[in-house]
Amino acid sequence: MFIPVDIKFTSPKGQSFKTVFSMTYKIANYLTNVNLAESISTNLVEIELALKNNPGQFTNLVLFDQARGSTDAAAFPSGWNGVSSYYQAGFSQDIWRETGIAIAQPSLLPETLLPELWDDARQFPGNYADDLEDFLRLTGSTSSQESIPPDYNLGITTVFNLLSEMQTGSPLTVDYLLDQANTANFFNQNPHALFLSNHGGSFLLGGNGDGPAYDLDEIKRNLQVTELEQVLQQAIIDYSPDQNRFGLLAYDECLMANIETATELRGVTRYLLASQETIPGLGYDYFLTLSDFKTNTPLSSQTEIEQDSRALGEAFVSTYSGRNGASHTLSLTDTDGITLLNQAIKSYADAFLESDDSLLVDLLKALRVKGTNYTYKFLQDLGNLALISQALPGASSALIEASQAILAALDTTIVANNQDYRPWAQSFRFAASSGLTITLPTELTQVVVGGEYLPELFIQQAPQFEDQTGWSRVLARVAPLLQRVQTNSGFEPAQVERKNGSVIESQGGTARFAVQINGYLGSISNDAAINNDIYNLPELANAILADLNLSLDILNLREAGSVTIAIRSADGLVKATWSQAVTKPGLLTFSTDDLNAEVAAQPISEGDQVVITPIGNISAAYDFNLQIADQKLQGYNSEKPLDYPTLLNTSLIDDGRKELFFTTPPLLPEPDGGESSFCTNLVLLSGSEGYAGLTLFEVDGTSLLTLESADFIDEQVRLKPNTEYSVTLSYRDFDPQPSDLSSDLSFLFDYFAAPTQILNDSLLRENIFLSNWGQISVNPGLSGTATIVETVSSKRITALDDLREGDAIDALYVARSVDIDTTLQAGTGGGTQTYASGLWTASNDVTLNVFVEGIGANNAQLGFYQVDALTGAISTDSGLIMPSATENYLAATRDSLVSPLIALNEFNKEGVVEVNLMAGQHYAAVLITEDQNGSQTALYSLTAGNPNASIQFLDFGRGYYGFEDLVQGRDSGWDGDFNDVTFYLT
């Protein structure tokens, strides 16, 4: 607690501050130092420099909390004489541990050096503030003993009146600041602008956090937006009856540009300056902005105050990217536009609630993978939300109209945006920010914030926005849908963090990156720009386009089309482009050899992107890989547990190991009371020959799974929610002797990738819980015995191109007899291992298009039929017909077809079979072949139905299957390539 006192400020020369210029713009800065001490102190030096460079245009009242003042990085003295060191008593004030308040004074920098510094700042806006911070550290730290050139008088000039410790997360301290602003020694009225500086956490968590971690306060506290609004409202009533609100309120804090924040504050400020994303340590550019600022009015009326406030806000936006880069955001919001914008948002909420669950799930999925993502992922860009909503297939006219109304209102409400992104005029731009965010979770991790249920917390922290829009209804509707949103059917993109190790030059070497694993190429929107997949290239030294080799591995093709891949710069300039038709699964390469010499010689620059654009109605799953010549991938260092699905590219030396920690988020309880869990993809790919392995266990050690492979690892594991797991990656050479060999490793940990299976094996049940992973049991409904086929391959077989015509398949396969007491155990040696009965069960009633390809001389017909028992038996008027190589079983099969037999008479076979399936029933496949002599043979996915119970059908994994059309030991020319007819059941 603090006791406000009346104080009188004096300059270092003893001059009191009584003169107030009628055309002087009055700014108050509320600086909570905490762990941003050096950066905020640098901001204060910048203000002092601007006061010297631009006299008479503005004044600055500063409340400056010194954050304990006990270390070099936490506090600085002030009143430096420009010559002596701290220990020579050159400073007017010692280090102080509490809070101080003062009117900022011009810098002591000599007039002769100011133009030089000013030119340097304008030419190198991204660097000069770091130089200021370095000089400040040397001339103003608690323990500096460096020899500093006296010309660089960059210690803090302003002398502070010292107060007792204030809790700067409290609205009482803001009230104190504004009370002092009303004294004759200060502004004699409320300031025209108030700047808050520290850490922000959106309207939900507030800003100016101050507490025991960094300060003397017993309890950490954040200044809530609702509290700030109340204290500002009261200050206006008490001190400025002729001023109905501030001109500008600026958050030099992270994540505060929310529609909720703007709504709460619209009654106390005309303009709001804030960022949608995190703000880098040095924050706003005070020197460049304030040095150029000119007041254009007498500031004698509310209109004039707001006019100059707008100009100041626009000036800060214009200088922001120079220091912080365009990927960080800053926008100026005109709160006079909030009423119209919130009317549109209420209409949107009404239409949202009227939409069916399936459409909302599609919308949330599209938003999750295509919308702009912020550090707090419950914040969605308002412009992105409207653009994606209006372009969503199946969106109602009410939802489309409300989205368009949001875009129109947003266009007038956002005055300036450093990214220059206006979605109403420019349509969708990937990862861009429109100026304001809105609360809308797209993942279960976002439903609980700070230990509180989001819809309830929202009502507390955004009461005015809730009153105007009823947005909590949307949050409550969304929460139970998020389990479905996070379920990946295999045909929407997986949203994962991509973390790459550093890349260094290495002549003759090749750095390999998995840019995307299990991606999806297709349309999730009627807007082509939204459908793009965009990936940032890693930072590369001295690389050109000719060094790149891109490959797109089409794993599963639902519908053919085309794809375009482009390399473009951060500002949207296309450097190179390729297009290819996609007519079948397989590997597509996009070679820089196809580029002319001038194009291929272009350098790869920071911020360059790969843009993958689907053309037509293409629908395909894919992996995307990148190889870079004359580069080497270094190891990746993880400093904290990863709490988000992650694709990691790193490098390990021979016998090297890397331990990572992952934390799964909480899940909503299952409706039936069962245990909630995540189904997780574990994919590990190695860039060199050798054994790559991973070990996964709960941190408490209760569950353990170790996988190692000379080929690849691609497995699913079911994990507990809200649990920490440890993953150890390893690599070792085939040769047991120590070597200098190393390998690039790509590892995907995607615990939101639970697949929605359209078809499941009718007979076999695989357990993927970590504690008993890989145990396979038999459906207890089986009567007697049945035959299954085990297939093991060290090669990824995902498409027809992976099978060589005339060569036996690169896999081992064997028939096994099972009954209800049989338990099998999957291996942990990597590669692909499948157990298949040849029978499938549909999860729901569905019409499935089965895409068929093959290579073979024999004519064939393919179809699917229903069986009545897990043995494959079919009920007929004559009784139950068991599977066998007889005409009776073939006749029963023909009578039970659920699809027409498709004729495949060309050598290169291709077609689509439409299959009608009912939930809970069992289905098999039949291939009727005809040799050159016209003799027909029926072959089945069920081994028991084939001649001599031979294996004619294999499961390659991931829903891909293949028939061999000749029978071993009976037909001449048998080659065992299993590529005669292949198809996908996905």
Side-chain angles (χ1 to χ4, degrees):
M1 179 62 65
F2 64 88
I3 301 174
V5 294
D6 289 329
I7 57 178
K8 181 177 181 180
F9 288 85
T10 58
S11 73
K13 297 181 180 180
Q15 299 170 329
S16 62
F17 303 115
K18 293 184 178 179
T19 303
V20 178
F21 297 96
S22 61
M23 292 183 65
T24 300
Y25 191 86
K26 303 169 182 67
I27 301 170
N29 278 83
Y30 187 55
L31 309 179
T32 309
N33 228 351
V34 191
N35 62 334
L36 290 175
E38 286 182 286
S39 297
I40 290 181
S41 298
T42 301
N43 293 156
L44 181 55
V45 168
E46 291 181 57
I47 292 170
E48 293 182 347
L49 288 166
L51 283 166
K52 187 179 187 71
N53 203 28
N54 190 20
Q57 291 297 311
F58 70 97
T59 58
N60 246 95
L61 172 65
V62 177
L63 189 145
F64 194 29
D65 186 80
Q66 274 285 63
R68 290 194 304 191
S70 59
T71 66
D72 293 353
F76 299 87
S78 63
W80 188 49
N81 65 11
V83 178
S84 304
S85 73
Y86 174 71
Y87 291 106
Q88 293 169 326
F91 295 96
S92 300
Q93 291 179 306
D94 291 347
I95 296 300
W96 34 281
R97 292 170 178 263
E98 292 96 2
T99 306
I101 190 167
I103 291 184
Q105 298 302 294
S107 171
L108 293 178
L109 185 75
E111 294 284 354
T112 55
L113 287 179
L114 186 59
E116 179 183 329
L117 181 58
W118 176 236
D119 288 341
D120 183 63
R122 287 185 295 181
Q123 291 183 48
F124 307 103
N127 299 326
Y128 87 91
D130 291 321
D131 297 335
L132 294 183
E133 187 170 291
D134 288 340
F135 280 117
L136 180 61
R137 188 180 301 115
L138 296 174
T139 61
S141 73
T142 61
S143 60
S144 173
Q145 299 185 52
E146 301 286 344
S147 175
I148 304 302
D151 284 344
Y152 288 95
N153 302 350
L154 289 181
I156 296 172
T157 299
T158 302
V159 178
F160 289 84
N161 284 72
L162 303 184
L163 312 172
S164 59
E165 171 64 15
M166 291 187 178
Q167 166 55 269
T168 46
S170 167
L172 295 176
T173 311
V174 184
D175 183 63
Y176 177 81
L177 172 66
L178 298 174
D179 177 71
Q180 295 299 313
N182 191 48
T183 67
N185 292 327
F186 286 150
F187 304 137
N188 206 27
Q189 66 179 56
N190 273 348
H192 301 139
L194 175 62
F195 282 72
L196 299 98
S197 301
N198 187 14
H199 295 292
S202 89
F203 74 99
L204 283 177
L205 302 179
N208 282 85
D210 197 8
Y214 309 107
D215 217 331
L216 300 175
D217 305 294
E218 295 180 2
I219 300 173
K220 179 175 173 63
R221 197 183 193 286
N222 281 50
L223 178 65
Q224 302 301 317
V225 175
T226 50
E227 296 173 333
L228 178 62
E229 187 275 334
Q230 291 169 7
V231 74
L232 293 181
Q233 192 70 260
Q234 191 60 49
I236 293 168
I237 294 171
D238 291 344
Y239 308 132
S240 301
D242 296 330
Q243 181 180 336
N244 58 32
R245 56 182 171 177
F246 285 78
L248 176 67
L249 180 63
Y251 278 102
D252 196 349
E253 301 184 340
C254 305
L255 302 157
M256 299 304 294
N258 327 121
I259 180 60
E260 297 89 346
T261 298
T263 300
E264 296 303 313
L265 297 175
R266 70 186 180 122
V268 295
T269 184
R270 172 66 188 272
Y271 295 102
L272 176 69
L273 184 67
S275 174
Q276 295 174 259
E277 192 38 290
T278 55
I279 291 180
L282 289 165
Y284 292 177
D285 195 325
Y286 291 92
F287 181 38
L288 286 180
T289 308
L290 293 175
S291 290
D292 264 349
F293 176 61
K294 304 296 181 186
T295 53
N296 297 311
T297 72
L299 294 166
S300 57
S301 68
Q302 183 68 34
T303 299
E304 291 169 344
I305 291 171
E306 293 178 4
Q307 179 179 325
D308 278 340
S309 295
R310 171 172 175 153
L312 181 60
E314 291 176 314
F316 271 104
V317 170
S318 69
T319 59
Y320 191 73
S321 295
R323 169 175 293 184
N324 300 294
S327 61
H328 294 278
T329 75
L330 189 66
S331 55
L332 182 67
T333 298
D334 182 352
T335 64
D336 278 1
I338 296 299
T339 297
L340 187 61
L341 182 55
N342 282 349
Q343 289 174 0
I345 292 173
K346 183 181 183 303
S347 297
Y348 180 92
D350 294 339
F352 188 99
L353 295 173
E354 291 298 319
S355 301
D356 61 54
D357 286 358
S358 296
L359 184 132
L360 294 183
V361 167
D362 289 343
L363 169 59
L364 293 169
K365 283 184 176 183
L367 185 65
R368 184 166 78 92
V369 299
K370 294 299 183 179
T372 302
N373 288 289
Y374 300 100
T375 299
Y376 287 175
K377 297 186 183 300
F378 55 76
L379 298 175
Q380 309 299 329
D381 184 85
L382 188 52
N384 280 188
L385 173 63
L387 286 170
I388 292 172
S389 297
Q390 73 170 11
L392 187 74
S396 67
S397 59
L399 191 66
I400 294 172
E401 290 170 4
S403 299
Q404 292 173 342
I406 288 174
L407 292 170
L410 190 65
D411 199 51
T412 58
T413 302
I414 302 302
V415 176
N417 180 348
N418 73 306
Q419 294 188 350
D420 194 27
Y421 177 46
R422 297 177 61 224
W424 173 257
Q426 300 170 357
S427 189
F428 183 83
R429 197 169 87 197
F430 184 79
S433 296
S434 62
L436 289 172
T437 59
I438 191 169
T439 301
L440 185 63
T442 59
E443 296 173 5
L444 286 162
T445 55
Q446 304 157 9
V447 173
V448 177
V449 178
E452 297 190 55
Y453 185 50
L454 179 59
E456 297 172 359
L457 179 62
F458 178 87
I459 295 173
Q460 299 171 27
Q461 302 297 71
Q464 293 190 52
F465 184 70
E466 169 64 15
D467 183 60
Q468 294 172 34
T469 65
W471 192 253
S472 66
R473 301 172 297 158
V474 171
L475 302 182
R477 176 69 184 280
V478 162
L481 298 177
L482 293 180
Q483 181 66 67
R484 289 173 58 186
V485 173
Q486 293 179 178
T487 297
N488 190 333
S489 67
F491 283 92
E492 60 262 355
Q495 188 188 44
V496 297
E497 299 281 359
R498 295 169 181 85
K499 297 185 180 296
N500 298 330
S502 59
V503 187
I504 62 173
E505 289 187 74
S506 176
Q507 292 301 314
T510 303
R512 297 173 174 84
F513 290 87
V515 181
Q516 175 67 286
I517 296 175
N518 297 338
Y520 168 65
L521 190 66
S523 299
I524 61 174
S525 169
N526 293 322
D527 185 340
I530 297 175
N531 295 329
N532 288 344
D533 287 342
I534 300 179
Y535 306 106
N536 291 327
L537 288 173
E539 294 185 21
L540 302 170
N542 299 321
I544 60 176
L545 291 189
D547 296 328
L548 298 183
N549 183 24
L550 304 95
S551 60
L552 192 69
D553 194 2
I554 304 298
L555 304 177
N556 197 333
L557 185 65
R558 276 185 170 180
E559 189 163 348
S562 299
V563 60
T564 295
I565 291 184
I567 306 292
R568 74 181 185 195
S569 63
D571 59 5
L573 177 66
V574 175
K575 294 184 173 183
T577 184
W578 302 262
S579 293
Q580 289 196 38
V582 183
T583 59
K584 60 183 180 179
L587 188 67
L588 300 176
T589 58
F590 299 84
S591 176
T592 52
D593 292 341
D594 300 332
L595 306 176
N596 66 48
E598 182 179 358
V599 172
Q602 293 180 92
I604 298 171
S605 305
E606 183 178 355
D608 282 357
Q609 299 172 322
V610 179
V611 183
I612 304 177
T613 304
I615 307 297
N617 295 320
I618 187 173
S619 174
Y622 71 87
D623 289 346
F624 182 55
N625 298 291
L626 173 67
Q627 295 185 11
I628 309 161
D630 298 326
Q631 304 282 335
K632 180 179 180 181
L633 182 62
Q634 296 289 81
Y636 166 76
N637 294 320
S638 176
E639 298 177 354
K640 60 182 180 179
L642 303 169
D643 58 359
Y644 201 72
T646 300
L647 175 59
L648 176 73
N649 290 300
T650 186
S651 179
L652 288 179
I653 61 173
D654 184 24
D655 286 332
R657 294 180 179 275
K658 170 115 188 119
E659 186 174 25
L660 304 167
F661 293 92
F662 290 84
T663 300
T664 55
L667 283 179
L668 298 176
E670 292 291 340
D672 59 2
E675 183 180 3
S676 299
S677 60
F678 292 101
C679 186
T680 302
N681 264 359
L682 296 177
V683 182
L684 183 64
L685 307 175
S686 175
S688 298
E689 293 186 350
Y691 295 101
L694 67 87
T695 298
L696 175 68
F697 60 89
E698 293 178 29
V699 168
D700 63 10
T702 57
S703 300
L704 176 69
L705 173 66
T706 298
L707 304 170
E708 186 177 62
S709 176
D711 307 293
F712 64 92
I713 294 169
D714 189 352
E715 303 291 353
Q716 288 186 346
V717 177
R718 195 170 289 277
L719 301 178
K720 299 177 183 177
N722 202 26
T723 303
E724 187 173 4
Y725 289 89
S726 171
V727 180
T728 299
L729 306 181
S730 62
Y731 172 74
R732 60 188 177 93
D733 189 4
F734 290 139
D735 189 340
Q737 300 300 318
S739 71
D740 59 359
L741 187 66
S742 65
S743 178
D744 292 344
L745 295 176
S746 297
F747 171 61
L748 174 68
F749 187 90
D750 183 9
Y751 48 62
F752 294 150
T756 302
Q757 299 288 354
I758 297 174
L759 296 178
N760 298 294
D761 193 286
S762 297
L763 192 60
L764 304 176
R765 301 288 185 270
E766 182 177 3
N767 194 313
I768 55 175
F769 277 97
L770 192 58
S771 56
N772 51 1
W773 178 87
Q775 291 183 8
I776 299 166
S777 59
V778 177
N779 190 328
L782 175 64
S783 177
T785 62
T787 301
I788 66 170
V789 176
E790 176 188 0
T791 305
V792 178
S793 176
S794 61
K795 180 183 179 183
R796 272 187 154 188
I797 301 173
T798 60
L800 188 62
D801 288 353
D802 297 326
L803 301 168
R804 299 183 299 274
E805 168 60 17
D807 292 338
I809 186 174
D810 188 8
L812 301 175
Y813 49 92
V814 62
R816 293 177 177 268
S817 180
V818 299
D819 58 27
I820 59 173
D821 295 321
T822 301
T823 300
L824 303 169
Q825 177 65 51
T828 58
T832 297
Q833 181 181 29
T834 64
Y835 293 89
S837 67
L839 279 177
W840 301 277
T841 299
S843 303
N844 302 288
D845 293 351
V846 63
T847 298
L848 189 66
N849 289 324
V850 179
F851 294 89
V852 182
E853 286 186 299
I855 302 174
N858 291 338
N859 293 337
Q861 300 175 77
L862 176 69
F864 294 84
Y865 64 100
Q866 183 176 337
V867 304
D868 299 299
L870 291 172
T871 56
I874 301 173
S875 295
T876 68
D877 293 340
S878 303
L880 199 64
I881 306 296
M882 297 296 290
S884 61
T886 64
E887 288 298 323
N888 288 340
Y889 190 70
L890 177 58
T893 296
R894 290 181 180 275
D895 290 339
S896 302
L897 288 172
V898 293
S899 70
L901 289 170
I902 180 175
L904 302 166
N905 295 332
E906 302 296 327
F907 183 81
N908 294 307
K909 297 175 169 57
E910 186 175 310
V912 179
V913 182
E914 185 177 285
V915 188
N916 296 305
L917 306 173
M918 293 187 297
Q921 303 301 312
H922 306 299
Y923 302 92
V926 59
L927 182 72
I928 302 174
T929 68
E930 182 177 314
D931 63 19
Q932 307 303 312
N933 299 319
S935 176
Q936 288 190 340
T937 300
L939 304 173
Y940 299 92
S941 57
L942 294 164
T943 299
N946 294 323
N948 305 319
S950 60
I951 298 174
Q952 302 296 141
F953 183 78
L954 295 183
D955 177 1
F956 304 137
R958 301 297 183 191
Y960 188 49
Y961 301 89
F963 268 107
E964 169 58 50
D965 66 357
L966 299 178
V967 178
Q968 187 175 16
R970 190 196 72 174
D971 298 328
S972 61
W974 179 88
D975 52 19
D977 53 17
F978 283 87
N979 71 345
D980 301 299
V981 172
T982 70
F983 57 83
Y984 296 93
L985 284 180
T986 52

